[in-house]
Amino acid sequence: MEIKEIRLEELDPKKFIKEKIEEIRSIVGENYAINALSGGVDSSTVTMLGHLALGEKLRTYFIDNGLMRENEPQEVIALFKKMGVNVILVDAKEKFFNALKGLRDPEEKREAITRVFYKEVFGKIVKENGIKFLLQGTNYTDVEETVAGIKRQHNVLEQLGIDTEKEFGYRVIEPLIQLRKPAIRKVAQALGLPKNVYDRMPFPGPALAARVIGEVTPERIEIIRKCTSIVEQELKDIKAFQYLAILHEDKVTGIIGGKRKLGFQVEIRCWESLDAKTATPKRIPYNILEKIAQRITSEVKDVVSVTYNITSKPPSTIEAV
Ligand code: XMP
C-alpha cells in the first residue's frame, strides 16, 4: 500500500483528529483494542486519540522491557493518570534480556526486540483477552527508513511483508503513519497533551538497546542508563533535537587508582535536526562537554573514556544500533 505523506504545512490538526477518531471507531467497532505507551510523542498521541475514540474499549499498557531510562515507567504512568488514562504496567524485563542474550549484530538485536514485543508480550495479552486490534504510532519517517533499508524500525511490520493477523493474531492500526515528527507534535498539542509530552525529545522504540554496541545485558544497560541520565541533566537547557550516550563494545586502557585498567568507552551525541532524516552535531560549549566527561568518569564505574561525535547523518545515524 502506497502511503501518502501529510506535510506539516498542509496539516489541519483539528480536522485530522476528528477524522482519525472516526476511523479508529469504525475499524474497531464493538471490539476492544490495546496499545503500548512509552511516553514518547508518537505513542502518547496515539494513546490520546485511542482514548477519545474508544474510551474504556482501549487498554493501554506500558511494557517495561528493562531497557528504559531511569524511573521512566513510573513517571509516564503517573503523567497519564493525571490525564485520566489508566495505564497497565507489564514487567517483561526477563523476556527481553533472554531474547537479547548473545546477540551482537544491530539488526538481529532489533529483530529480537520486535519479536518479543509483538509476539510474546502482545501476542499473549491479546490471546488472553480476546482482543483483535493494536493501535500504534508508526510514523512516516519510520516507514521510509525501513523500506529504504537504512534501519529496521522496531514498529514497522506490514511494509516488511509481515502479516500481523497471521503472525501475531491481531490487526495493527497506525493513525500517524502519514505524519513526520513535527506534524505529530502539532497534533499532540491540539489534543491537549502537556508541553513536556508534545515537545519531548525523541527516544527510540528499542530504547537504550539502540545505544549499546555489542551484547545487551542488564549490566551494560545499567551503565548506559546512568550515563544517559547525566547527559540529559547536563544538556537539558541546550536547544537540540536529541542528545544521547552510547556504550561502545571495545574496552580501552585507562588509569584507575593509579593503575592500568581496561575500562568502558562512552560516546556522547547531540543532534540538530528537523525530522531526524538528516542531522548535524551541535557545537556544544567545551566546558559543558568537559563537565559531562568528568561526571561520567567519576559517577559511572569503570568508564575511562568519553568522546563527542562530530559526524553528520548521513553517513552516521542518530542512534548507534
Ligand atoms: P536513526 O538512528 O535511524 O534514528 O538515525 C532516527 C530517529 O528515530 C529514532 N529511532 C527509532 N524510533 N523505533 C522508533 O520509534 C526505532 O526502532 C527507532 N530507531 C531509531 C531515533 O531516536 C531518532 O530520533
Side-chain angles (χ1 to χ4, degrees):
M1 184 184 64
E2 183 74 29
I3 298 161
K4 192 178 172 300
E5 180 187 356
I6 302 174
R7 301 168 72 86
L8 182 63
E9 55 279 11
E10 63 197 19
L11 173 76
D12 175 345
K14 288 262 172 330
K15 186 165 158 256
F16 179 87
I17 291 167
K18 195 169 164 274
E19 282 172 7
K20 289 297 157 186
I21 288 176
E22 281 165 14
E23 195 181 304
I24 295 166
R25 274 188 194 145
S26 80
I27 298 174
V28 176
E30 290 310 307
N31 292 293
Y32 276 77
I34 55 171
N35 81 311
L37 171 69
S38 68
V41 191
D42 306 350
S43 72
S44 298
T45 305
V46 165
T47 300
M48 281 322 278
L49 276 177
H51 187 66
L52 292 174
L54 305 172
E56 291 297 308
K57 288 198 297 172
L58 176 73
R59 291 205 191 122
T60 299
Y61 292 84
F62 187 104
I63 309 302
D64 187 356
N65 52 17
L67 310 169
M68 305 307 281
R69 288 168 289 187
E70 248 159 44
N71 301 325
E72 203 156 20
Q74 296 73 18
E75 280 171 14
V76 173
I77 291 170
L79 181 83
F80 274 81
K81 195 168 184 175
K82 268 198 231 155
M83 293 186 288
V85 182
N86 183 35
V87 182
I88 306 158
L89 178 66
V90 176
D91 181 355
K93 297 199 250 323
E94 221 179 295
K95 282 197 174 90
F96 281 90
F97 282 121
N98 279 342
L100 286 163
K101 207 173 269 172
L103 300 185
R104 293 175 56 228
D105 177 78
E107 289 295 292
E108 280 181 18
K109 291 195 287 189
R110 284 177 166 265
E111 209 178 329
I113 290 171
T114 302
R115 193 186 61 242
V116 175
F117 189 85
Y118 290 99
K119 203 164 189 158
E120 292 189 29
V121 178
F122 271 111
K124 192 163 166 265
I125 295 173
V126 293
K127 227 182 257 154
E128 283 172 2
N129 297 284
I131 286 164
K132 293 199 171 64
F133 300 96
L134 172 76
L135 269 168
Q136 71 168 15
T138 321
N139 68 38
Y140 194 79
T141 311
D142 294 340
V143 176
E144 193 176 57
E145 294 216 332
T146 303
V147 173
I150 293 171
K151 219 175 247 195
R152 180 203 169 104
Q153 304 283 313
H154 86 293
N155 50 2
V156 176
L157 305 158
E158 192 191 313
Q159 291 74 22
L160 287 177
I162 298 174
D163 180 340
T164 59
E165 264 186 297
K166 211 164 102 205
E167 299 220 10
F168 312 135
Y170 52 83
R171 199 175 141 194
V172 177
I173 306 171
E174 299 170 309
L176 309 180
I177 205 150
Q178 292 171 278
L179 308 181
R180 290 185 194 273
K181 202 66 111 194
I184 297 174
R185 291 192 200 284
K186 227 169 141 181
V187 173
Q189 191 175 2
L191 279 166
L193 285 159
K195 186 169 171 19
N196 63 351
V197 173
Y198 72 72
D199 231 9
R200 198 169 145 121
M201 183 164 70
F203 187 64
L208 295 174
R211 300 173 180 178
V212 169
I213 303 176
E215 192 181 3
V216 178
T217 62
E219 296 75 26
R220 288 167 60 76
I221 285 289
E222 192 48 36
I223 294 169
I224 210 60
R225 183 177 285 131
K226 286 189 178 135
C227 296
T228 303
S229 182
I230 294 170
V231 169
E232 290 190 354
Q233 284 163 28
E234 296 301 328
L235 295 182
K236 71 177 188 327
D237 296 326
I238 285 261
K239 273 206 166 340
F241 178 81
Q242 200 168 354
Y243 36 83
L244 51 127
I246 291 161
L247 178 64
H248 280 242
E249 187 167 22
D250 290 339
K251 284 187 165 183
V252 288
T253 303
I255 309 161
I256 293 179
K259 290 230 160 51
R260 171 167 57 84
K261 178 152 187 188
L262 279 183
F264 300 111
Q265 298 186 76
V266 170
E267 177 188 333
I268 311 303
R269 295 183 180 184
C270 179
W271 298 105
E272 289 195 288
S273 176
L274 276 179
D275 54 16
K277 213 176 157 191
T278 60
T280 49
K282 179 106 188 164
R283 294 186 176 224
I284 295 179
Y286 212 86
N287 59 326
I288 297 180
L289 289 172
E290 276 177 336
K291 172 129 188 257
I292 291 173
Q294 187 274 325
R295 280 196 62 191
I296 288 179
T297 49
S298 60
E299 293 174 34
V300 190
K301 196 167 174 284
D302 289 347
V303 176
V304 298
S305 168
V306 178
T307 55
Y308 185 62
N309 169 65
I310 49 168
T311 315
S312 293
K313 172 184 180 175
S316 179
T317 57
I318 287 181
E319 308 287 347
V321 168

